[in-house]
Amino acid sequence: MSDAIKVSSYINGKFIPTSSQVVVVTDPGNTDGTVGHISNASLDDVNFAIECAHAAFGSWKNSTIQQRQDCLTKATAVIMEQKDRLKELLVREHGGMLWEAETDFYLGAGVMSMYAQADDTPFKVTEIAEDNGWIKIHKTPKGVISAIVPWNMPIVLTMMKLGPILLSGNTVVLKPSPFAALALTQLLAKIADIFPVGVINIVHGDVDVGNVLTSHPLVRKVAFTGGTTTGTAVMASAANTIKDVTLELGGNDAAIVLEDVDFNAILPKLLKGVFTRSGQICFAVKRIYVPSHQLDDYVAMIAQVVSQYKIGHGLHPDANFGPLNNKKQWLLVQKMIEDAKASPACEVQELGEKLDPAAWDKGYYLLPHIVKTMDNSLEIVQKEQFGPIIPVIGYDSLEQAIAYANDNEQGLCSSVWSNDIDLAYEVAQKVEAGSTFINSHSFDSLQLGMPFGGIKQSGIGRELDINETLKSYLEPHSIRYTSL
């Protein structure tokens, strides 16, 4: 595979020549194996991509809504056509399970289809009559948008940006994560061929490339999904030229389990929210709050289920989840586990089964861990783990549970689990988060058209809601006439 899979930046309708800056992509589940190579863009290449996108904007902004939607419809079909060809490659480069990669393609196609079928209400001219004239408010596209996407669910997270960017009449320069760029680049090149030359451009690189994308004067908005620390840098860079930003950042999602619920009954859904993608999802369950007098029993129930999990390569048919994506994250999560073990306030259990012990050290594998504690101030609780480790924290009152959940600088998603839906709804309204789910907390909890995004340090702006999202990619232009 290493000889066959090579990608470079795609600018103005073609792949640019391979540069001297080549990144080797290894399989997180078998780091001895090379999956492919990424040729990074030079800073001149990035500037050229932005200039090409700016040139293409001159005509694309004048296309009709129907023309744009026809292109998005074709793009939806391409995503589904390429799914079976690219899904195993995606697993080998980002470490997820095969079903997770398939889900990524399905969700990406769903998002693109949603925008392809959107009505034209957000684009209509608003008219306000006055006694001596009128006001007409037009909605115009912004221009070149920089999009920077992460590695954990690269297909859907890319389409959550491309759909509204393109439907609004903007053009885009997109940078994939180097940890999941091979399949995405091949898919995007085929989608780009549907659109006029220069509308979609792809550049590869690290921080230096990102800095150009967030600071270039021709870029009018930055759409970024990733960690809060990087999001802070993106926002600071964009501020130099007063760019708009949409930031979907890290989450440390709380799940509040109320006393009345049948814990055994909810466990399958709750643990799906914890361990899908090895916990490497921005809105995965990262903290579970349970009544303190039931803490021991609930931890035992969780342990009984988690002990049966099998961890192995994403293409192994018996694996429940795979490795972490990269060494940096693997080391970070390992340190958090060791710190929790060293704390007298924690009781840590390592569970699960290694599917292939002989190959374990060749990948970024970690067994699932459960941390029992009554201390909400611990790092393992306060900091997003992004790995297969879950703290379970006891609370003494419902008010304390809500206070514990809100005592965090992140606020992406959350959940409340109860048989009493009225009470759960009452609790949900008090939780500080962009979304709160009742009796679910996973991919199944999301719905196209439902605003998705965070508060506090989990981000700025919303995606998936057609009207709200499109507003962020359009500029109101007010024209007022008054009679002489």
Side-chain angles (χ1 to χ4, degrees):
M1 293 184 70
S2 58
D3 292 333
I5 302 170
K6 298 178 181 178
V7 298
S8 62
S9 297
Y10 185 90
I11 301 173
N12 213 35
K14 59 184 178 181
F15 285 102
I16 64 172
T18 300
S19 72
S20 58
Q21 304 174 44
V22 176
V23 176
V24 178
V25 180
T26 58
D27 185 336
N30 180 11
T31 54
D32 287 347
T34 298
V35 181
H37 299 86
I38 304 167
S39 177
N40 282 346
S42 68
L43 298 189
D44 287 341
D45 293 332
V46 182
N47 285 312
F48 178 58
I50 294 169
E51 291 165 3
C52 290
H54 181 67
F57 176 66
S59 56
W60 179 244
K61 68 180 180 181
N62 296 319
S63 59
T64 67
I65 302 301
Q66 188 59 57
Q67 287 172 329
R68 299 172 197 169
Q69 290 185 312
D70 287 346
C71 290
L72 292 178
T73 298
K74 293 175 183 177
T76 302
V78 166
I79 296 170
M80 294 308 298
E81 289 166 2
Q82 295 299 310
K83 172 178 65 68
D84 289 339
R85 183 177 76 87
L86 296 174
K87 62 185 181 183
E88 289 192 9
L89 171 61
L90 185 55
V91 169
R92 288 191 173 97
E93 61 177 326
H94 79 1
M97 301 302 300
L98 185 59
W99 75 264
E100 292 166 348
E102 290 179 321
T103 300
D104 199 3
F105 280 93
Y106 282 119
L107 291 175
V111 169
M112 196 64 90
S113 177
M114 177 183 74
Y115 285 104
Q117 299 177 63
D119 66 49
D120 62 356
T121 300
F123 303 97
K124 288 181 178 178
V125 177
T126 303
E127 299 187 29
I128 303 171
E130 297 185 307
D131 290 341
N132 62 337
W134 44 256
I135 300 170
K136 295 186 179 183
I137 305 170
H138 294 250
K139 288 87 173 180
T140 61
K142 288 179 177 286
V144 179
I145 312 294
S146 290
I148 303 174
V149 297
W151 48 260
N152 55 339
M153 296 292 286
I155 309 301
V156 64
L157 292 172
T158 294
M159 302 312 153
M160 285 166 64
K161 292 167 176 43
L162 277 192
I165 287 171
L166 300 172
L167 182 58
S168 300
N170 300 291
T171 57
V172 63
V173 180
L174 184 140
K175 188 182 93 66
S177 165
F179 296 112
L182 301 175
L184 180 60
T185 300
Q186 293 183 56
L187 175 65
L188 287 177
K190 290 188 176 296
I191 291 176
D193 287 344
I194 297 167
F195 293 80
V197 170
V199 170
I200 298 175
N201 304 274
I202 309 152
V203 294
H204 298 289
D206 207 339
V207 175
D208 56 342
V209 170
N211 286 338
V212 176
L213 292 177
T214 56
S215 64
H216 197 290
L218 289 180
V219 172
R220 297 315 318 148
K221 178 181 173 73
V222 180
F224 171 80
T225 296
T228 298
T229 301
T230 306
T232 302
V234 167
M235 192 173 182
S237 179
N240 291 326
T241 45
I242 318 297
K243 300 186 197 308
D244 188 14
V245 294
T246 292
L247 304 175
E248 196 265 277
L249 306 179
N252 193 9
D253 290 13
I256 302 176
V257 178
L258 302 192
E259 191 167 0
D260 69 296
V261 79
D262 182 344
F263 195 70
N264 261 328
I266 69 169
L267 258 184
K269 292 176 71 174
L270 180 59
L271 293 181
K272 182 179 180 182
V274 174
F275 291 108
T276 296
R277 280 300 277 118
S278 307
Q280 299 172 115
I281 298 175
C282 55
F283 70 103
V285 177
K286 309 267 181 14
R287 301 175 281 156
I288 300 175
Y289 293 99
V290 304
S292 58
H293 70 277
Q294 295 171 302
L295 177 60
D296 290 344
D297 291 340
Y298 285 180
V299 169
M301 293 181 197
I302 294 172
Q304 184 177 14
V305 176
V306 175
S307 65
Q308 300 173 49
Y309 287 174
K310 297 177 174 62
I311 294 81
H313 196 281
L315 297 177
H316 196 299
D318 295 330
N320 292 103
F321 61 82
L324 273 67
N325 172 264
N326 59 80
K327 186 175 184 178
K328 180 180 178 181
Q329 185 60 28
W330 180 66
L331 291 172
L332 175 64
V333 177
Q334 279 190 318
K335 184 179 185 302
M336 295 180 78
I337 292 170
E338 293 307 313
D339 289 347
K341 288 179 178 178
S343 170
C346 293
E347 182 179 307
V348 182
Q349 295 184 64
E350 181 180 78
L351 301 163
E353 176 186 337
K354 301 176 182 179
L355 274 174
D356 188 358
W360 191 259
D361 293 335
K362 294 181 179 180
Y364 302 124
Y365 295 105
L366 282 175
L367 289 170
H369 287 70
I370 302 171
V371 179
K372 182 177 74 173
T373 185
M374 290 289 292
D375 189 345
N376 196 58
S377 67
L378 294 170
E379 181 190 52
I380 197 72
V381 178
Q382 288 295 320
K383 185 175 179 180
E384 180 182 32
Q385 310 96 15
F386 226 62
I389 176 171
I390 184 68
V392 185
I393 307 100
Y395 65 82
D396 293 326
S397 68
L398 194 50
E399 292 73 21
Q400 186 182 56
I402 296 167
Y404 277 179
N406 291 340
D407 183 22
N408 196 271
E409 281 305 308
Q410 293 179 308
L412 186 53
C413 297
S414 58
S415 58
V416 182
W417 302 76
S418 176
N419 293 328
D420 186 337
I421 304 308
D422 290 336
L423 177 58
Y425 177 59
E426 182 181 329
V427 172
Q429 293 177 76
K430 298 176 182 178
V431 177
E432 297 171 354
S435 299
T436 301
F437 315 118
I438 296 176
N439 293 342
S440 73
H441 197 146
S442 66
F443 290 130
D444 301 335
S445 307
L446 300 181
Q447 179 63 43
L448 295 179
M450 176 181 174
F452 179 76
I455 64 171
K456 298 191 278 191
Q457 292 189 24
S458 284
I460 296 173
R462 294 294 182 269
E463 296 180 311
L464 290 181
D465 178 290
I466 293 176
N467 291 329
E468 288 300 316
T469 305
L470 289 176
K471 281 181 186 178
S472 70
Y473 289 101
L474 294 166
E475 296 284 9
H477 180 193
S478 301
I479 301 174
R480 186 183 185 204
Y481 159 73
T482 53
S483 59
L484 296 174

